[in-house]
Amino acid sequence: MDRRKLEEAKEDGSLAYTAVEGTGVPFERPEEKAAAKVYSLKSGEARSESLAGQVYAQFRRSERKLTTSVRLTQLVLLILFFAGWEAASRLQWIDGLLFSSPTRVWGLLIEKTADGTLLVHTGTTVWETIVGFVLGTLLGTAIAALIWYSPFLSRVLDPYIVVLNSLPKVALGPLFIVALGPGMLSIIATTLSITVIITILVVYNSFREVDPNLLKVVRIFGGNRSTIFRKVILPASYPTIVSTLKVNVGLSWVGVIVGEFLVSKEGLGYLIIYGFQVFNFTLVIGSVLLIAVVATFMYQAVVYMEGKLTGRNRGGRD
């Protein structure tokens, strides 16, 4: 009887379990056992992926919640600052002539915008700042790359760069005015004198601090110095270059405003000087606040560029 059942089981390939010949003990066929093992592995992978997806979704929710809390806190602090400023001016806790008030500043900005003068001055300063910012960063990075390519040039220029960095670059403004004339060129030159040296120092140090083991690997595979720079040095220095861009946003505004103090007849720096001359401190404070707003937009543009270069979305962390 058992032998007959065994023969029937052998003929019927759809049965997963049969009786061991002569014993009646069920056993699993090898192919069925392998299929069960594969199914178990796939099920385990699916559960792992599902768990990883849940953890990532929870992390994203917490990041969005944190970002929302940060933005709301920043907004509340800004509102409290302007409200306290307005209240202090109205209650005469501060001198309204010197420190003005948000309502006075807002009214003046609306008036200057309506007659078109504010847009002209703002456009002039923003253009000069962007040109100085871009040229300073590109020129500084190019010089840093040139110094990295030539160890001899690095050793020659190192003390000169340190000395130039220690000089009061703002004091060179009158020299630029005499050499380049009282115009936009002297203002941009003043900006470059501030941004280029800082960019060279920071970016060149970043080039030198790249892991030497990575350079050895590229050399082993036949890469020359140009390949090493393009494939290893430059990509590894992207975070430092972006950090330099963030610093140069502020330095560019400093250079442009100082240049406009000295020579310009239009621009936000000119409005600040003019406001001091006629004791219109509302104009001075309004120009400063406008500079802060435009500089914030420039900084956010650099943050967006950082996300593109480094492949990271920093929106949830900034």
Side-chain angles (χ1 to χ4, degrees), residues 242 301-315:
V242 172
V302 172
V303 171
Y304 177 78
M305 183 184 301
E306 178 183 19
K308 292 295 184 180
L309 288 176
T310 61
R312 295 181 300 177
N313 182 11
R314 296 179 56 86

Side-chain angles (χ1 to χ4, degrees), residues 103-119:
T103 53
R104 293 178 184 175
V105 171
W106 179 254
L108 180 64
L109 293 179
I110 294 296
E111 178 185 345
K112 293 295 183 181
T113 303
D115 61 21
T117 57
L118 186 63
L119 295 178

